[in-house]
Each structure stands twice: as C-alpha cells, then as structure tokens.
C-alpha cells in the first residue's frame, strides 16, 4: 500500500472502547496506526436483575406522563429484560401512554422498532439537551407530573435534579451498568505509554472510560503525567459532547466530530494527525 494511503503510519493510538472495538481497531490499522487496545469498561446488561424488574414495576404503577430515553441500547436491553421476566406488555403500555422523548437518532430508532413514536428528540444528542427540550415544551413547569428516566449506565444527577427542581416526580430504571473490561491488564500499559510520551492519541466512545483511565493513572501515580501528555499534544478523540465532557472538566480540549458517530470520530482524528505541523485545519481545507 502506498504511503499516502497510510496517513497514520508511525502513529500510536490508544483505544479505550470495549463494544465495537474490533471495527475501530481495524479502521485505525488500515490507516497504518499501531493500536494499544485498553478496554477500560464494558456494558453489562442487567438481565435477570431483580432490581430492574422492581424499578420497572414501580414506574408502570406510577403511570408516568413522560418517559425520557437516553440511549437506544438501553431501551433495547430494557425490552429484552422485560421479555425475559414477563413484563414486556406492561413496558409497551407504559411507553404507549406516555409522551416519550429520546436523546438521539438511535433512541428514536429503538422506539420505532417497538412500533411506537416519540414526542421529540434533543437537538444536540445530549441528556442536557433532552431535559432542555422537555422543560421548554412545558414552560419549565413539571409540577404534578411523573417522569420516567432511563439511565445510561451512570446516574446523571445534575439532569435529574433539573427535572425535580421543575416539580416532577422522577422514577429511574437502569437497564445496563458499567463494569471493568481490562481482563488483560492493558489499561495500565496505555497509561504508562501515554505518560511517557509514546502515544499520539487516545479514543473515547463513552464518558465513564475517561474516568476509568484517569483513575488508573491515579493508582499508578501518573495522573499529572497523563494530564501533561494530553496538554502537550496527545490527542483525545471523542465520539460526541457527552463523552468529551469529563475531559473538558479536566481542562482539556478533546476532538468532537460534527456527527456524533464512531466513523466521524476516526475521520476527524485521522485528518488531525495527518495534517502537517503548524497548518491550521481551515487553511488546509481552503
């Protein structure tokens, strides 16, 4: 393969994803990159978890006026668990009777896959944007309303508080949770290589992976060194603003593609790494 077809030749990229990591790694390697695969976390469906069934039944009994779905994956796992545990008819009735709002296109697709329609989708595919939409459509007042909120593996306390502050009674379900995926001990390897300046970029497709990477760095005594590596030119490529948020809280400036998809993230990362030093993006494209 010609050199111009290997824009990432000589580059080292850390991949923190577990789900769909094979596709990401293959795409990077086709571009010539050497990949350090350090899956920080993985999604675990709760399956037969009694807690999900109990939380679901509490929500169904409350007959929510609105249901906010933060991920399409979460809705599919929720429905799978409902079928396995025998409360799928109650779930469909709940979603049919409520005004269902979704965070993004995948959530909308999952809703339509169940033969239903949503009442609206956030403009920026974030949970904050989803809550913004709901509050705007109800003039900021949810007094006397019950809101069902499907969480996406982590509890977004700030957005839940905004709903309760507006007067809503909020009931939550968590169809999946995050668990360690570092069976081969590669996360410490990535941290050490990055802290030593031997990594050009790290990709993130989920916000919890950021916390997992920096928590590992803290345990190794390399937290400041990892921060310094990012501040010194190592790129943090993210799939969207939700994933970028914890990096921005650390004072970093991660890459965020215009389309919040893995393919767009890899395209942006490739273009940035392949750009000649000192050439601004806008100038290069002009």
């Amino acid at each position: 393969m010609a050199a111009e077809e290997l824009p990432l030749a000589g580059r080292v990229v850390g991949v923190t994803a577990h789900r769909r990591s094979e596709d990401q790694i293959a795409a990077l390697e086709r571009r010539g990159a050497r990949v350090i695969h350090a899956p920080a976390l993985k999604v675990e469906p709760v399956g037969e978890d009694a807690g999900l069934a109990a939380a679901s039944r509490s929500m169904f009994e409350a007959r929510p006026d609105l249901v906010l779905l933060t991920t399409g994956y979460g809705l599919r796992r929720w429905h799978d668990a409902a079928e396995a545990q025998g409360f799928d008819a109650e779930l469909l009735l709940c979603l049919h009777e409520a005004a269902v709002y979704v965070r993004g296109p995948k959530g909308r697709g999952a809703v339509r896959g169940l033969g239903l329609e949503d009442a609206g989708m956030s403009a920026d595919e974030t949970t904050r944007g989803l809550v913004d939409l709901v509050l705007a459509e109800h003039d900021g007042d949810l007094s006397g309303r019950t809101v069902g909120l499907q969480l996406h593996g982590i509890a977004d306390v700030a957005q839940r508080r905004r709903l309760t502050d507006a007067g809503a009674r909020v009931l939550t379900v968590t169809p999946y949770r995050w668990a360690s995926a570092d069976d081969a001990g590669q996360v410490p390897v990535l941290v050490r290589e990055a802290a030593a300046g031997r990594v050009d970029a790290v990709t993130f497709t989920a916000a919890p992976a950021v916390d997992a990477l920096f928590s590992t760095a803290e345990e190794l005594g390399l937290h400041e060194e990892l921060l310094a590596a990012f501040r010194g030119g190592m790129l943090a490529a993210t799939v969207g603003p939700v994933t970028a948020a914890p990096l921005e809280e650390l004072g970093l400036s991660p890459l965020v593609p215009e389309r919040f998809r893995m393919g767009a993230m890899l395209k942006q990362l490739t273009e940035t790494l392949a750009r000649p030093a000192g050439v601004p993006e806008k100038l290069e494209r002009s």
Side-chain angles (χ1 to χ4, degrees):
M1 184 176 289
E4 61 268 18
E5 296 178 14
L6 293 172
L8 299 183
R11 298 291 194 173
V12 178
V13 179
V15 170
T16 62
H18 179 268
R19 184 166 171 261
R20 292 190 64 193
S21 60
E22 296 88 352
D23 294 340
Q24 188 180 158
I25 292 168
L28 288 166
E29 290 180 340
R30 281 197 302 271
R31 293 166 168 82
R34 180 170 76 83
V35 175
I36 299 175
H37 185 210
L41 296 171
K42 63 183 175 182
V43 170
E44 282 193 342
V46 297
E48 298 293 328
D49 192 311
L52 175 61
S56 298
R57 294 191 187 283
S58 294
M59 186 181 296
F60 303 156
E61 290 171 4
R63 302 175 70 87
D65 303 286
L66 303 87
V67 174
L68 278 57
L69 301 173
T70 59
T71 62
Y73 178 81
L75 176 57
R76 290 193 295 274
R77 296 291 71 78
W78 192 11
H79 186 252
D80 288 348
E83 286 188 322
Q85 299 186 57
F87 59 86
D88 51 313
E90 296 167 83
L91 171 58
L92 290 174
L93 179 62
C94 173
L95 296 177
H96 177 74
E97 292 183 339
V100 176
Y101 292 84
V102 298
R103 195 178 75 172
K106 293 181 181 179
R108 173 168 283 171
V111 170
R112 291 179 177 175
L114 295 178
L116 303 169
E117 291 292 331
D118 63 84
M121 181 175 71
S122 67
D124 60 359
E125 299 185 36
T126 67
T127 304
R128 173 180 287 277
L130 178 59
V131 174
D132 286 344
L133 171 64
V134 170
L135 292 178
E137 292 198 353
H138 293 83
D139 298 322
D141 185 9
L142 296 174
S143 299
R145 295 182 181 273
T146 298
V147 176
L149 176 62
Q150 172 255 313
L151 300 174
H152 52 97
I154 54 175
D156 196 330
V157 177
Q159 300 313 313
R160 180 177 176 178
R161 184 179 297 119
R162 292 179 67 201
L163 294 169
T164 57
D165 287 348
R169 175 193 180 194
V170 180
L171 299 173
T172 64
V173 294
T174 307
Y176 61 91
R177 58 174 77 94
W178 294 100
S180 174
D182 191 24
D183 299 329
Q186 285 295 102
V187 176
V189 172
L190 175 57
V191 169
R192 291 190 181 99
E193 290 296 295
R198 293 191 287 266
V199 176
D200 297 289
V202 180
T203 67
F204 299 94
T205 56
V210 177
D211 295 328
L213 188 71
F214 277 93
S215 293
T216 300
E218 186 75 39
E219 293 171 4
L220 295 171
L222 294 172
H223 187 274
E224 291 305 313
E225 288 83 351
L226 183 61
L227 268 178
F230 279 114
R231 289 169 178 159
M234 183 173 71
L235 298 176
T238 69
V239 77
V242 173
T243 305
L247 290 159
E248 292 170 345
E249 290 172 3
L250 290 168
L252 303 176
S253 300
L255 298 176
V256 181
E258 292 183 5
R259 294 183 66 253
F260 310 147
R261 299 290 182 271
M262 185 183 74
M265 175 188 74
L266 295 179
K267 182 175 185 293
Q268 182 185 40
L269 174 61
T270 300
E271 291 175 349
T272 304
L273 283 177
R275 189 177 307 128
V279 178
E281 181 178 1
K282 290 183 180 178
L283 180 59
E284 184 188 38
R285 291 182 177 180
S286 61

